[in-house]
């Protein structure tokens, strides 16, 4: 991520995430986050809304399916990702530029709500790769092997874990 602009946005989804699939079967969810600053006006003793920022966002692969199945219109979210600039030309030949957020992490804000989490079943590693986190992966955080009664949950696996930093 060197040289990329990473930002965190807190706001509300303006609609349900739109889940689509590319021709290669890759899932992508697109949605807009509206972030509106609020300031207290001491002269009127009232809260005033500032100008809203509407930021298009996208998330890919299995992550997209999780987002589409978990977040809905109006949900207050905290999202972190890389700001991307995209240039394009309209049908009339006008050149345009848009800013979009390619999401790295997103979740519901718990400031005004509660959430019930359900761990998704996945064959992906915690770092987003394609291999399960088991011994032989050359990852310092990989478990020896998931115990049969843990359902493959490496964080719930009994074993010999060192408190020593792996680096």
């Amino acid at each position: 991520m060197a040289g990329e602009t990473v930002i965190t946005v807190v706001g509300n989804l303006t609609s349900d995430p739109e889940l689509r699939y590319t021709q290669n079967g890759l899932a992508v969810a697109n949605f807009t986050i509206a972030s509106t600053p609020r300031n207290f006006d001491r002269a009127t003793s009232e809260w005033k809304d500032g100008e809203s920022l509407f930021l298009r966002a996208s998330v890919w692969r299995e992550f997209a399916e999780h987002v589409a199945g978990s977040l809905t219109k109006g949900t207050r979210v905290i999202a972190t990702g890389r700001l991307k600039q995209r240039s394009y030309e309209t049908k009339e030949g006008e050149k345009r530029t848009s800013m979009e957020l390619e999401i790295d992490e997103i979740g519901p804000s718990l400031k005004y709500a509660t959430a019930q989490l359900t761990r998704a079943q996945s064959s992906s590693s915690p770092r987003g790769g394609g291999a399960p986190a088991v011994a032989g992966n050359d990852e310092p955080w990989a478990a020896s092997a998931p115990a049969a009664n843990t359902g493959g949950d490496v964080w719930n696996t009994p074993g010999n874990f060192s408190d020593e930093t792996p680096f």
Side-chain angles (χ1 to χ4, degrees):
M1 283 208 267
E4 293 183 298
T5 304
V6 177
I7 65 168
T8 299
V9 177
V10 178
N12 295 53
L13 297 187
T14 62
S15 62
D16 290 345
E18 182 180 350
L19 181 64
R20 293 185 177 186
Y21 292 87
T22 66
Q23 291 179 346
N24 296 334
L26 205 62
V28 59
N30 296 298
F31 49 93
T32 300
I33 301 171
S35 180
T36 307
R38 292 194 95 205
N39 297 305
F40 189 74
D41 184 344
R42 292 181 191 260
T44 62
S45 296
E46 294 178 355
W47 285 97
K48 304 261 179 161
D49 287 343
E51 193 169 331
S52 295
L53 167 71
F54 292 90
L55 189 58
R56 287 294 293 165
S58 63
V59 60
W60 292 83
R61 298 178 178 76
E62 189 176 21
F63 190 13
E65 294 172 338
H66 295 172
V67 167
S70 302
L71 302 176
T72 57
K73 176 181 179 177
T75 303
R76 184 174 177 86
V77 296
I78 304 168
T80 299
R82 290 160 282 128
L83 199 56
K84 300 285 184 177
Q85 179 174 301
R86 187 172 63 87
S87 297
Y88 61 96
E89 198 169 303
T90 66
K91 293 177 185 176
E92 295 78 27
E94 298 172 322
K95 293 185 179 187
R96 301 277 174 96
T97 302
S98 67
M99 300 300 280
E100 299 174 354
L101 185 63
E102 197 167 300
I103 302 286
D104 292 322
E105 298 285 340
I106 189 169
S109 169
L110 302 181
K111 189 172 186 176
Y112 305 114
T114 61
Q116 181 68 37
L117 300 178
T118 304
R119 186 172 299 211
Q121 295 298 319
S122 171
S123 61
S124 301
S125 72
R127 288 200 179 167
V134 294
N137 241 9
D138 294 331
E139 297 289 348
W141 42 262
S144 302
N149 64 351
T150 64
D153 182 0
V154 297
W155 300 111
N156 193 24
T157 303
N160 299 327
F161 293 98
S162 172
D163 287 337
E164 186 176 330
T165 306
F167 44 86

